[in-house]
Amino acid sequence: MKNKKITVNSAYKHLTSNYTFIENNGNMYLYANNDKTKKLYRVTPSSIRTALVLMNMEYLATDGNIKNTFSYLQGVSDQICIKKNIFKRIGFNNNTIYIDTLNENKFIKIDSTSVSVEEECPVLFFRTNDMLRLPIPDINLSPQIAKQHILSIKKFVNFDNESLKLSLVWLMSLFLKNGTYPILMIDGPQGSAKTSSLSFLTRLVDPREHPLIGIPRNSRDLYVYAQKNTILAFDNISEISHSMCDELCKLASSGSITTRKLYSDDESMVIKAKCLIAFNGIGLNIVRNDILDRAILVETQPINNSRRASESNLELLFNELHKNIFSAIVYAVHFGLKNSKEHYDIDHIGRLVDVEVWACRWAPAFMLNPNKLIQIVFNNQNLLQSSVSENNSFCNALCHFMKDKDNWDGTITDLMKILEETFPNEKSRKDWPKTPQLAGSQVKRLKSSLEQHGIFFRSIRNNSRRLVVLEKKNS
């Protein structure tokens, strides 16, 4: 027993003397004190063994001692760990952005004054096994050259000019420190290159061996993915459950879940994550307003057989153009930071106000007119909201009910009864609310879509009753 304690203490002493321990989101990490790049490893029995061997302490790396040392480190984690933010691929330090290229341990530093390639970085990055290298960008560009580079994206994605601009608004929001990320939805018929377009788009800034994944079945699996990825790109989605819609919305604006703490039976921990999200599918059936308020829709068109290219040729083209396009993106990020104090009078501000203001700042780097770009985003969101009223039976009924009225007020039970009497065929539809409580919840969720039709909703309390007030105004 005494020898066991001595070997554990010896391993602990050498590890804590030569490695720095970090705690983030309930997980323990370590990096070697003499490593300039501060490469992080999860604290596991395997990483402990590797660390001891690298210190020429093989005699301490027995299976039994590794297991006991691992347990001991977990027990004293609060004493040895520094709590610090850990980033994946893109990190933020005050007003400076760092990009982990995985290219000869080089980091790209971007701020309002310059772009530089560094060998050391003040922020911590965690690397997963499927992450691939980014090219080292050309630093000296002009708006004319940046525009030329960025337009070359169309050579391997099936986007028209407007769709390319919308996808850039989505992609560039990855460099936004605060605010809600937009969610990109790529819809199109079979054979319209939805999958390859989304794959190439994500690989421009975060190349991985498997850039696209299937949507997880539950929120815990979703957050496991989110902890390891910068971008969550889901392939071939037709429908998303209401609960998953809620979780995706949370992830787009820094979400969290509470779960059991690792190695504990009675302690809980909060897992926080934020990811840029995208998915593609045929005839996407997404009607929840909360996710559509954050969404950008890009529609791909069928590809003529004479224009169709092989995957290998597209891959060669992507590899040839990747450095130029990534250089243009880095240039635009620097341009946006440089313009951070500029004030823009935006004609239309939607739900994605932080994304839109950021877009105004980087848009001139590609010789894009900021107001025209935001107008495209605004029109796109209006299109999404109008599609809800067309496809949602309750919203459709409300719009027809208010067609010849300036206002209406009453309880949600009264409203539901009137609508079911006026539109008897609608109440048998799957999306029709079955109870007044569900009807009240649906009216709140449909707020943005109703406003597209000039119908404004509010709730007031009158004595002991809560009333629904619907008012017709100019949209």
Side-chain angles (χ1 to χ4, degrees):
M1 186 72 178
K2 185 177 179 181
N3 288 337
K4 171 184 171 182
K5 186 174 181 180
I6 291 172
T7 52
V8 168
N9 285 340
S10 181
Y12 169 77
K13 180 181 177 181
H14 284 97
L15 286 167
T16 53
S17 297
N18 292 277
Y19 287 83
T20 297
F21 288 79
I22 306 293
E23 189 274 331
N24 179 265
N25 255 345
N27 296 314
M28 286 176 65
Y29 302 85
L30 58 78
Y31 66 84
N33 293 338
N34 61 359
D35 181 6
K36 292 192 301 183
T37 65
K38 299 179 182 178
K39 185 176 181 180
L40 288 174
Y41 298 90
R42 281 280 297 273
V43 175
T44 63
S46 177
S47 63
I48 291 172
R49 184 188 304 278
T50 301
L52 289 171
V53 170
L54 289 173
M55 291 187 291
N56 298 317
M57 301 291 172
E58 291 91 342
Y59 67 94
L60 294 174
T62 62
D63 289 345
N65 194 48
I66 291 293
K67 180 180 178 182
N68 294 328
T69 302
F70 181 51
S71 298
Y72 185 72
L73 289 171
Q74 292 164 11
V76 297
S77 62
D78 289 343
Q79 301 171 34
I80 65 173
C81 285
I82 302 169
K83 290 196 174 184
K84 202 167 183 180
N85 287 331
I86 294 175
F87 299 94
K88 302 150 294 183
R89 188 69 80 176
I90 296 170
F92 300 90
N93 184 28
N94 296 322
N95 296 319
T96 303
I97 295 173
Y98 291 89
I99 303 175
D100 183 11
T101 68
L102 279 77
N103 195 333
E104 298 179 352
N105 291 319
K106 296 290 196 303
F107 302 92
I108 302 167
K109 177 186 175 184
I110 313 171
D111 59 27
S112 60
T113 58
S114 64
V115 177
S116 60
V117 179
E118 309 285 337
E119 293 188 355
E120 295 184 36
C121 181
V123 303
L124 296 175
F125 286 103
F126 181 67
R127 299 171 174 179
T128 57
N129 292 332
D130 71 329
M131 292 175 70
L132 302 175
R133 297 191 306 173
L134 276 168
I136 301 300
D138 293 326
I139 293 174
N140 299 314
L141 295 185
S142 65
Q144 290 81 5
I145 295 174
K147 178 183 178 180
Q148 180 182 342
H149 288 342
I150 213 69
L151 285 175
S152 65
I153 293 177
K154 291 176 62 178
K155 293 183 178 181
F156 48 81
V157 301
N158 185 27
F159 292 164
D160 59 21
N161 286 334
E162 183 169 302
S163 296
L164 177 60
K165 292 172 185 175
L166 289 167
S167 65
L168 283 175
V169 170
W170 171 79
L171 190 65
M172 290 294 295
S173 68
L174 187 60
F175 301 94
L176 189 61
K177 184 177 180 180
N178 300 307
T180 298
Y181 285 156
I183 296 174
L184 181 67
M185 306 191 311
I186 301 180
D187 194 1
Q190 185 176 357
S192 59
K194 300 179 299 298
T195 295
S196 63
S197 294
L198 180 55
S199 175
F200 285 130
L201 197 62
T202 61
R203 287 169 56 195
L204 287 172
V205 292
D206 188 26
R208 293 174 180 265
E209 289 182 5
H210 308 289
L212 306 185
I213 58 175
I215 197 161
R217 295 183 178 181
N218 55 61
S219 59
R220 184 178 178 85
D221 289 346
L222 178 68
Y223 275 81
V224 169
Y225 283 134
Q227 282 192 298
K228 297 179 180 180
N229 289 271
T230 310
I231 301 174
L232 286 179
F234 303 114
D235 193 23
N236 288 325
I237 304 302
S238 57
E239 193 170 6
I240 301 177
S241 68
H242 289 179
S243 60
M244 187 55 70
C245 278
D246 292 338
E247 295 300 337
L248 292 176
C249 289
K250 286 162 59 178
L251 265 185
S253 53
S254 293
S256 63
I257 59 169
T258 303
T259 184
R260 182 178 64 82
K261 191 173 183 178
L262 294 176
Y263 322 115
S264 171
D265 293 325
D266 57 358
E267 291 185 70
S268 62
M269 68 176 187
V270 177
I271 300 176
K272 298 178 181 178
K274 183 178 181 181
C275 279
L276 193 61
I277 298 167
F279 48 84
N280 69 65
I282 300 174
L284 290 170
N285 184 25
I286 314 295
V287 295
R288 295 270 292 201
N289 272 76
D290 41 5
I291 196 169
L292 294 180
D293 275 349
R294 299 163 169 82
I296 290 175
L297 175 65
V298 168
E299 295 180 289
T300 56
Q301 301 302 319
I303 301 174
N304 190 290
N305 287 336
S306 62
R307 291 180 55 242
R308 197 172 293 278
S310 67
E311 289 187 19
S312 58
N313 285 340
L314 287 174
E315 193 68 31
L316 288 172
L317 189 59
F318 175 83
N319 292 333
E320 178 187 332
L321 298 172
H322 190 186
K323 179 176 179 176
N324 287 345
I325 297 170
F326 182 60
S327 299
I329 291 170
V330 169
Y331 172 75
V333 173
H334 164 61
F335 204 99
L337 293 177
K338 188 170 63 174
N339 289 340
S340 60
K341 294 182 180 180
E342 293 289 329
H343 175 73
Y344 292 91
D345 293 320
I346 305 174
D347 295 335
H348 300 287
I349 286 288
R351 174 74 177 269
L352 300 169
V353 56
D354 294 297
V355 173
E356 292 168 354
V357 171
W358 171 236
C360 285
R361 291 170 177 161
W362 59 254
F366 300 139
M367 301 182 70
L368 294 174
N369 181 294
N371 254 315
K372 289 183 179 178
L373 181 62
I374 301 309
Q375 182 67 53
I376 291 172
V377 176
F378 183 78
N379 292 342
N380 188 263
Q381 290 194 300
N382 282 350
L383 175 67
L384 284 167
Q385 293 299 337
S386 64
S387 70
V388 174
S389 58
E390 293 171 5
N391 298 317
N392 184 284
S393 58
F394 198 66
C395 185
N396 216 353
L398 275 171
C399 291
H400 280 87
F401 172 68
M402 290 295 296
K403 191 173 183 179
D404 300 321
K405 297 177 178 64
D406 291 327
N407 57 72
W408 182 91
D409 62 78
T411 65
I412 192 67
T413 303
D414 295 336
L415 179 62
M416 191 173 177
K417 183 179 178 181
I418 293 171
L419 292 178
E420 288 183 348
E421 289 175 352
T422 308
F423 309 99
N425 295 330
E426 294 296 316
K427 66 178 182 179
S428 61
R429 299 226 348 216
K430 184 180 178 181
D431 61 346
W432 190 268
K434 306 304 179 189
T435 65
Q437 184 180 8
L438 291 175
S441 176
Q442 193 162 149
V443 170
K444 291 176 183 177
R445 289 187 180 278
L446 291 169
K447 182 175 180 292
S448 297
S449 295
L450 291 172
E451 288 177 0
Q452 292 293 317
H453 294 269
I455 301 169
F456 290 78
F457 154 81
R458 59 190 174 94
S459 179
I460 61 172
R461 185 172 289 279
N462 184 7
N463 296 326
S464 61
R465 299 195 310 164
R466 182 169 292 280
L467 300 181
V468 171
V469 178
L470 298 173
E471 296 174 299
K472 201 79 171 289
K473 299 178 183 179
N474 291 328
S475 59

